[in-house]
Each structure stands twice: as structure tokens, then as C-alpha cells.
Amino acid sequence: MSESDALAHYVESNRLEHFVNYELVGKSALRVQRWRDQWKLKRRKPRPDSPLSPPLQCVAYMKEIMSRHYLEGRYASGVRKVAWVTSGAPTEPLQALGYFLVYPENHAALCGVRRKAQSIAEEAEHAGWSRDICSYARTDIGAMLSGKTPAGRLPRPDMLVCCTNICQTVLHWYRVLADYFECPLVLIDTPFLYDEAHDHEVAYVKRQIEDMIHVAEEMAGTTLDQARFAEVMQNARRGAELWLEVLNRSQNRPAPMTAFDGFIHMGPIVDMRGEAVAVQYYERMLHELDARIARGIGAIKNERYRVLWDNLPIWFKIGEFSKSLGEHGVNVVASTYTYAWGELAPMIDPNNPLESMARVYLHPILNRSTGHKLEAMKKMVDEFQLDGVILHSDRSCKPYSLGQIDQRDRLSKTLGIPALLLEADHNDPRDYSNEQGANRLEAFIEMMEARG
Amino acid sequence: MSKVSSIGIDAGSTTCKLVAIDCDGAIVGSRLEPTEPRVEIQMERMLAALRDELEAGPEAPVIATGYGRKLIKEATRNVTEITCHARGVFRALGRAGTLIDIGGQDSKVIQVGDNGRPVDFMMNDKCAAGTGRFLEHTAARLGVPVDQLGGRALSARGEEAITSTCTVFAESEIISLIARGADPDSILRGLHRSLVGRVISMVRNVGIVTPLMLSGGVARNDAVRTMIAEAASEEVVLPGEPQLMGAYGAALLGGTA
Amino acid sequence: MLRAHRLHPIEIWGPPHIARHEGNRHFQTYACDIVVKAMAFIRSGGIDATRAILVPHTCDALQGMGSVLTDFFRPDQRVLTLYLPRGRRTSDRDFLRDELARLSKTLVQVSGHEPNATEWAEAFEAEDAADAALADLYRRRNALAISDRDFYTAVRSREFLTAEKFCEQVATLPAGQAPRGGVGLMISGIVADPFELFDQIEQMGAHVAGDDLACGYRRVYSASHEHDPLIRTANRLMSCPPDPTCGTPIHERVEALQTRMRALGAKGLLIYDPKFCEPELFDVPLLRKHLNEAGFPVLHVEYEMGEGLPHQTLSRIEAFVETLS
């Protein structure tokens, strides 16, 4: 067989696999799974001992959506062009060009939730990567080297897109991936906003997005269809607007969902931003939240205190924290992290896509000054009527964590509410001490109780 | 005429070791003591005692290694523990391989090459976890003497996982476990597992070249040996005198053997 | 550029002997010494004699420092920032030019002086001469009868001397046979501290054949001859040798290191980093892998500034030298 024949055969057999395993069988199987999950949720007996209300019913759809995404990933190679992207990357043009997008951070978070992150990260550590680098990066590099993943199989990237608006670490991480996969790395360098965005910064980002589009078009062998692009932008905007509304519903007392729910339900807006399925999902979710609000159902049964969570979640502790805080009547109703994917919705302008994208992707909270982050937290304390703030001092995430000591001091002094700095890591359980953490949380709760 | 060809001194932070060898490289005498604060004075005394016992004069070269090696005035040369341990174990076991040395205050993994020289190495000497101290300190909390650690860990019915990698955090964890009524031997077993986990991590980093060899004070701990073999799925071999390997290697470097 | 605006820069790398705890009032323990010690230094009045502090943006830690200084600490001195782009594309150069234009406006406010074309030209002449003197210093290393310690003392005086004084100083270094005993090492990292490290390396029977240090070779800039002073400055900054904080791809770093190590007779690479430095840490395993394949052993050592040279550090380096001998 000649080389071009072999390649054609490879692509054909991949397409067939993709069609059969994903389109035909996979999607249906996941739909059935969702029916079963929904049925189980409906039939769930009330648990009087649990401080938590029953989970949101829509979570069955979310699982289906995310599983479908990862399932397609297994068969995407050779069928769709694959891009691995950072969570803050301007992916809308890639969506419009038909790329299959892999978000290594989301994958690493999935490993964290499933308690597999440590063993996977150890693969990277044994190959020489220090434990002092971001645990997402270690999990991802470890998965890359060993092939270990709870998500089936991740397709190799045809291209990497790295946007520094979430941190500078991603560039170093993606250079490692580029070395390993030997594929092009597109950099979108978004200058840090010490105050407001300047024109030259917007122009710079816009130009890099344009360059990205050229590279992506060439690789995909097509040009960007403007109508499709506009559609994706519309969906991105609508999805972000809906997500913001979902989060703002927690301004109600009691809040119908927790920030921990938010960490789980943010999957679609991060991984499927620009797709209609994300829009539909949040419409459904909003509907369910409104139904809860109408009936006065809170995410926890006895909401005594309302709290803000700053920084990434501690993925391997979400269930446990949810429950133990719930037992004390503490509802973590808001987080700066989930808010980041909604608060910029008004800036997304489908009529002026490139310019508005350049602005939007400069403004995520992680790319903003420590002072701005403090103001954002103060605003949330006010809007959500909060009694305390938990600042997760995430060892892996310097852009979020550096500045928290000053922020905590000011929250405590100027707002007069308890603010706890909790030392941990978002994915590596070795960097969290259960005993010490539990102790600090208890002290924090006692402080809120003492204030009445 | 003395048979002593050279003497090696390993001035470690926990124990001091002396080894005298003959011209064939066989060990003819040795000394081991816990390190005293004035190690130079201690060494003078130990050296004098060894020479006395072996009827050796000052002609035989003295090579020093270990933490306090630069303080030993009689030493004609000093060489790092890495090179000396590799040499000592290579000669004792007759083969290259991956050497794991777990001491009181540090642990090292050394890839020993075909000529007995270190090819690559990795050390853990800033953190107590992964060293003998981790076991001793936490075992002291449980009221178990050091020489019973391994045996009790191996004979435990169960195993309590210790997830903290920091000695201080591990102590809190153990207190918690005891409060909840966990079996002390099962806790010990978990502690050993944790230590071995750290060590295996370093081993994987350096890369396994069989066989795995063990030296240092903690080598005498059966549980550590067994668990390392399990975790690496490789046989683990021990020289006859695991604690003397550094001093032995130093002596070999001084002699013609 | 700073010179043209009548500002003289003094670089802070640490300083090593200041304790961290005042810095830890702002930054957690997992922030590096460069940032935590600088913060402690500022808190202790270290920059009282200055008009401004410039915090370049090359990593997350410096980002945090620039932001905390601006928003929370608010020293009397003006806090200036400079975002250095991570690519070497035309878009990066154009951005950097505009970013320097923005900085220039703030520099005028700090010094009260706006440079004219002649002043710019004079400033370039002086600084290009100093850059050339630094490059020349490296070229002449083997013909200088000075120890590695003295060599790096000279190199690092670029951090605080004026351009003229720096040129003067390097011109006075004694020519002759350089003491090049034993094994040649290439040392890579951010800053090699303390200077005693060089003495110790000498005692181990080795010498520093060359370096890839942020405070050393990575700042050997090439002159540009562009007419526009801002483009000229941007070009100069972007002409630096391979550097992970500037986004240099790993294979480029490996190529450059290999070439230099062969040319300078270095047998092994010592990567000597302050703890918690991500730009360095991410590259280490691949540098090691590729350089090992090329026949160069690599040792990675982390240190804490100001803690002297612990036995652990010296042991490792000594053992490494022994394996190369």
C-alpha cells in the first residue's frame, strides 16, 4: 500500500470508527445513561440526615454533554482537526472552523475530582517535573507521558493554542507539550492589566487572534465562514449571559445552588463555549433554579451563613466540603472563579467579533490587578449579602494566590467580616492537611457565629 | 607489619563509621558510633582505637566522606558520600545497579555504573519525610523502639494509609487515627508505605537499573526492604554491612584495591 | 531609555541577606526569593533613596509583586511596570514598542525630563558601549587572569554601575592566563548566589566555563541601529540570548547550550535555581533529556538565597564534578 493510500485508509477507518462508535452508538448510549440518571434522581429517596438538598436534576444533562465531548475525543483523530487549548483561549474561531477542542485543564480537573490526579502527576514527577509546578500541568504532562486517564483517550493535538490571560505558567507548560507532540504552538500573549486596558494591548491581542485564525485555516484547509463564526459568537455571548444569570440566582435567600455546584456545572461554558448545546443547557438549568426559588428551596437545608469562595476549587474536596460546611449551615453561594466566565458577557459583541474578543480575552479576572480582584470580591459580598470569605491559597496558582494576604486583611478590616486564608492546592492532595484545614474552617465558622 | 592498606571514615550526621581494609580490599576492622557534637575529637579517638586494635601505624592513607568529612584532619583526601557509597556497594555486591541509601537524616538513590562510579543520583536531604527520621519520630509518638519498627509493621493485620508527605502533618494525622482507635501496627505499616513511596519516587526519577541495592541504617528494616521490592517489582539485595558502605567505599578509594 | 530620561537604574536581585518574613507579610511561602526578598527590602526602607521602582513582567511572581506594590503597598516611589512579550514575532516587537512608549510617558513624569533626539543618541551610544564591553568580557574570559568569582563580580557590576564606569572597570581587569583547573562546568539559572559558590567550585577542582544565567549571559544584548529610539530599544530587548522567561522554545535553548558547551569545553551543566521558579522548572527535565542524549550530564540544584552554601548543595555539586572527572 502506498503512503497516500495508507493515509487515506487511516482517515477512512477513523471516520468509520467516529461514525459508528460516536455518532451512532456512543451518543445513543449516553442518552440512555442520562435517562437512567434522571430516573435515579427522580426516584432518589429523601435523605433527612443530609444537610444538602437533592442535587439539581439537570446534572444528568451536564454529565451527558461532557461525556459526549470526551467520547468524541476518543475517535476525533483523523476525522476532525484537534486543538489543545488553555481555558482562557479565544476559541470561537476554532469552533467555527470545526476544530475538536481539548481543554487539558478541564481534563486535569476531572482527574482531580476522580482522585486520580496524584498518581497521574507522579508520572510527570518521575520524569523530572518538580512538585513545585502547577498541579494541572503535572497531571496533564503525566497523562501525556503515560496515557493514563479516566477519560478514555485524549486525541493528539494537531495544534496547541496557549493564551496567557490565566497565567504565565501555561506558556511553559505548552512548550513542553509542543516539544513532545512536535506540533505548532500558537501563542496569544495577553498583557497583564495593572489597571485599565490600553489601546496598544487590545491591538496586540487582536492581531494575535488574526494570526491564529490564519494558522488554523491553513491547518484545517478551509477558510473561516463568517456566518458560522457569527453564530458561534452569538452562542458564546448567550451562553455567558445565561451562565451569569445562573450564578446571580444565588443572590436569593436561600441560594438555590452552591459554588460547589457551580464548579461542576461550569463545564459547558468552559469547554463548549460557542456551541448551541451550552446555551440549551444553561436555559434548562436556569429554569430549574427558578423553580427552586419559587418554592423557597435552598441548596442546603438550613442556610445560616453565606460565604464567598475565592480562587480555584479544591477539586478533591468538593463533596466533603459541601457536606461539612452544609452541616454547619454554611452555604458557599458565590465564587470569583465561576463568575469569571459570565461577567464578561456584555463585552462580547458578535457584530464586532475580533475587536471585542481582543477586549474580552484581556479582561478575565485572573488577568486583572490584585486591587481589582479585591473590589470584585467586595462587590460580591455586597450583592450576594455574604457573611464571610474563604480565600483558597492555591499553591499551584500564583496569579490568583499572590495578593490574597493583602486582600484578606482588607476584607476583614474594611468589611468587618471573617475572611479565611486556606492553604491547599486545587489538584494535589499531598498539599492539603485535612486536620489543619478542618481546624481553620471550624475557627472561621465560629467567627461567623460569634457575629450573630 | 599491619595488614591495613587504607582506612575510610564516614562522618555522618547521625552515626560515625570507620572501616579498615587490607590490600585485597577486604574489611579487616570497623567502628560505628552515634555522632558526637565534636566530631573531630571523636574521630581522633575512634581512629586511634582502630589503629590500636589492628596494630596499624599512621602510614595507611585515610579517606574521609560524609557530612563532617572536611573536619577530619588526618584525612589525606575527602570524597562525597555519593561516590563512596557507590564504590563500596559495587565492591561488596560485585555488580552495578541502583543503590538506595536511607540514612537517619537523608536518603539517596545512586545509579551505580559498571565501573563502580555513580552515573546519576538524586538526594532528599532537606525534608525529613523519606528518611529514617520520619520513621523514628513518628514511631516515638507511638511508643515503639526503633529496632522493632520493621517487624511490627510487617506483622500488622491491616494498613492505615498515611496521606501526608510532611512529617509534621503526618503526626497530626497519626494523632487523629489513634483517637479514632486505629491499630498502632497498622499505622506503622502505613508509615513505612509512605516512606517507601517517597523513596520509590526518587528511584523512578533516576531510573531503575537492576538490581536494587540497599544501604544505610534503614536497610536493616525488613518492612522497608520488603515494601521497596513490592513497589518496584524487583529483587532487593543487601550487602553484609549496609551501614558501613560509605566508609568502605572511602577506604577502597584510598587503597590500591 | 532610562538613561535618556535621566534616570539611573540599580537592579535588585534579592538582596540575599534580607530575611524573608517581612516579604511573607504579602506573599505566601511558595513565592520565590527574588520577589519575597525584594518586598522585604522595600518594607525595610531599601528603596527610600529612589524615585521609582520598575517591576518588569516576566513571570507570575513578578506580576503579583508589581500589582501588590501598586494597589496595596503603595510606596512613596512611583511603581512602574513593563510587560515583556513572550514571543519574537513582528506583533510582539510592535507591541513592545508601544509598551515602551507608554513607559516613556511615565518616566517623564518621574524624572521631569523628556529626552530629545540628541539625548537619546547619547544614551544609546553609552549603553551600547557597555553592552559591547559585557559581550567582550565573555569573549575574553580565557585571557583574563582572574578567578570565576572576580569574573562574575565584574559581570554583575553592570547591575548598578553607570555605563561609563562599567566600561572603565572591565578595561582594568588583568590580562593573562585564566586559572582553568579541572572540569569545566556550564552554569544555568537566574542568579548564582552567593559568590562563594565560585570559590567552592574552584576548590572542588572545577571551573565555570560559561553561563546561561539571567544575571549573566542572558543579558548580553545586541545593539540595534534603528532610527526610532523606541523601536531600537524594543529590538535590543528582543535580541537577548535564549531565555525561558522570554518564551524561547526548549529545542532552541538546547541547541544554544550544546553549541556553547562544546566551544567552551564544559563537560556538564549545573542548573542552579532559586526555589519555586516555574520558568526554570518546566524546562529542566527536557533540558536534561536532550543534553544527556548529546553526552552532557546535567545536575539541577535548588537553593534559598542568603542561606549560604549548605552542605547538601555542596555535596551534590561535588559529587557531580566527581562523576565528570
Side-chain angles (χ1 to χ4, degrees), chain C residues 214-282:
Chain C
C215 71
Y217 196 77
R218 290 184 196 168
R219 66 182 308 160
V220 176
Y221 297 107
S222 312
S224 157
H225 300 285
E226 263 292 327
H227 184 69
D228 179 305
L230 295 171
I231 297 181
R232 187 168 172 169
T233 306
N235 281 350
R236 174 178 171 271
L237 285 171
M238 290 182 64
S239 75
C240 67
D243 185 333
T245 63
C246 299
T248 308
I250 293 162
H251 67 264
E252 268 181 48
R253 290 192 67 197
V254 171
E255 288 292 314
L257 282 167
Q258 273 188 53
T259 309
R260 289 181 62 216
M261 284 172 80
R262 284 200 190 96
L264 298 165
K267 285 219 182 144
L269 178 70
L270 167 62
I271 305 176
Y272 185 74
D273 284 328
K275 272 190 78 72
F276 308 118
C277 185
E278 277 114 341
E280 293 282 308
L281 290 172
F282 269 93

Side-chain angles (χ1 to χ4, degrees), chain B residues 86 90 95-97 110-120:
Chain B
F90 179 72
R95 36 211 303 217
I110 305 168
Q111 204 186 99
V112 183
D114 290 323
N115 51 5
R117 307 193 75 195
V119 171
D120 196 5

Side-chain angles (χ1 to χ4, degrees), chain C residues 102-152:
Chain C
R102 179 194 65 78
L103 179 62
S104 174
K105 289 199 183 73
T106 53
L107 291 178
V108 171
Q109 287 167 15
V110 171
S111 70
H113 179 77
E114 185 164 3
N116 59 33
T118 316
E119 284 160 335
W120 271 109
E122 277 169 3
F124 278 117
E125 199 184 311
E127 293 293 336
D128 283 352
D131 283 345
L134 180 63
D136 193 51
L137 192 59
Y138 274 100
R139 265 194 296 276
R140 285 190 295 139
R141 177 64 187 103
N142 283 337
L144 291 169
I146 56 175
S147 63
D148 285 333
R149 182 188 186 130
D150 288 341
F151 179 77
Y152 283 97

Side-chain angles (χ1 to χ4, degrees), chain B residues 95-109:
Chain B
R95 36 211 303 217
T98 305
L99 171 62
I100 302 169
D101 177 80
I102 307 175
Q105 288 188 167
D106 69 15
S107 48
K108 336 179 216 325
V109 176

Side-chain angles (χ1 to χ4, degrees), chain B residues 2-16:
Chain B
S2 163
K3 46 190 180 325
V4 173
S5 157
S6 62
I7 297 179
I9 297 181
D10 183 356
S13 38
T14 319
T15 52
C16 279

